[in-house]
Amino acid sequence: MGKVILKNAITRKPGHLYYVDGKGNVCEAVMARGGKKKKKKAVKKKAVKKKAVKKKAAKKKKR
């Protein structure tokens, strides 16, 4: 196990990965996923127009 030599030596950025390379340097890499979450887009529903239905008048029968 390694041990902590210095805390808070760098300021971390969201969506980045930090590691120590073979030479002992601290490296920063952008993660493939992560960071800020994307906002969902609001989907607007289209208003459906109803067609007016005309009722036919009943014909009167002649007697």
Side-chain angles (χ1 to χ4, degrees), residues 31-43:
M31 293 194 308
R33 58 187 181 275
K36 295 182 181 180
K37 292 186 178 181
K38 294 181 181 178
K39 293 182 181 179
K40 291 184 179 179
K41 292 183 180 179
V43 179

Side-chain angles (χ1 to χ4, degrees), residues 3-59:
K3 58 182 176 178
V4 177
I5 299 171
L6 179 63
K7 285 189 177 183
N8 299 329
I10 57 172
T11 55
R12 295 185 180 204
K13 300 175 189 173
H16 288 77
L17 176 71
Y18 296 92
Y19 63 94
V20 179
D21 65 358
K23 296 180 183 177
N25 299 322
V26 176
C27 297
E28 173 185 346
V30 178
M31 293 194 308
R33 58 187 181 275
K36 295 182 181 180
K37 292 186 178 181
K38 294 181 181 178
K39 293 182 181 179
K40 291 184 179 179
K41 292 183 180 179
V43 179
K44 293 184 179 179
K45 293 183 179 179
K46 292 183 179 179
V48 179
K49 293 183 180 179
K50 294 183 179 179
K51 293 182 180 179
V53 179
K54 294 182 180 178
K55 292 184 179 180
K56 293 183 180 179
K59 293 183 181 179

